[in-house]
């Protein structure tokens, strides 16, 4: 995603500072796949962002409600999906 797209996005601009930090953390995370999918440990993310788990859940909920991310749990693993990346990615069999 282009940086100017993030900083000019009305959804992003309407977020609180913590919401912006959380979103930027997710969209710039080195573990993100081509499709915008990340498998992350919420406790680790909370610690890295200096949030409580409750704060991180709140920010995640706000991003979900803003239709900016999707969160899925599969076999006890938590996946964060950056909606813009995922929706605009070419989905080849090998990337999925």
């Amino acid at each position: 995603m282009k940086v100017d797209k993030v900083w000019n996005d009305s959804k992003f601009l309407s977020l609180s500072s913590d919401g912006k930090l959380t979103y930027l953390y997710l969209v710039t995370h080195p573990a993100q796949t081509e499709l915008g999918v990340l498998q992350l440990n919420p406790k680790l993310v909370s610690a890295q962002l200096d949030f409580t788990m409750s704060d991180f859940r709140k920010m995640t909920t706000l991003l979900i409600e803003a239709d900016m991310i999707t969160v899925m749990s599969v076999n006890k693993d938590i996946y964060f999906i950056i909606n813009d990346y995922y929706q605009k990615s070419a989905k080849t069999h090998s990337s999925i």
Side-chain angles (χ1 to χ4, degrees):
M1 177 182 299
K2 290 186 171 189
V3 173
D4 64 333
K5 179 171 179 0
V6 173
W7 288 102
N8 292 315
D9 183 80
S10 61
K11 290 179 189 178
F12 179 78
L13 293 173
S14 70
L15 297 171
S16 65
S17 294
D18 285 345
K20 288 175 181 159
L21 175 63
T22 305
Y23 188 71
L24 290 173
Y25 175 94
L26 294 171
V27 300
T28 61
H29 198 283
Q32 186 183 147
T33 70
E34 295 174 14
L35 297 176
V37 178
L38 301 105
Q39 179 188 2
L40 299 173
N41 178 329
K43 289 181 183 177
L44 177 60
V45 175
S46 295
Q48 290 173 332
L49 293 175
D50 197 26
F51 288 171
T52 64
M53 278 298 294
S54 177
D55 290 339
F56 181 61
R57 277 191 219 99
K58 180 180 175 185
M59 291 306 109
T60 301
T61 300
L62 289 174
L63 293 174
I64 292 168
E65 289 172 353
D67 196 34
M68 297 174 81
I69 67 168
T70 300
V71 178
M72 297 178 69
S73 176
V74 178
N75 298 325
K76 298 185 181 181
D77 293 324
I78 307 295
Y79 293 89
F80 295 82
I81 302 166
I82 310 302
N83 292 345
D84 262 1
Y85 284 42
Y86 188 79
Q87 292 165 353
K88 294 177 180 154
S89 301
K91 292 171 190 69
T92 64
H93 182 67
S94 62
S95 68
I96 293 174

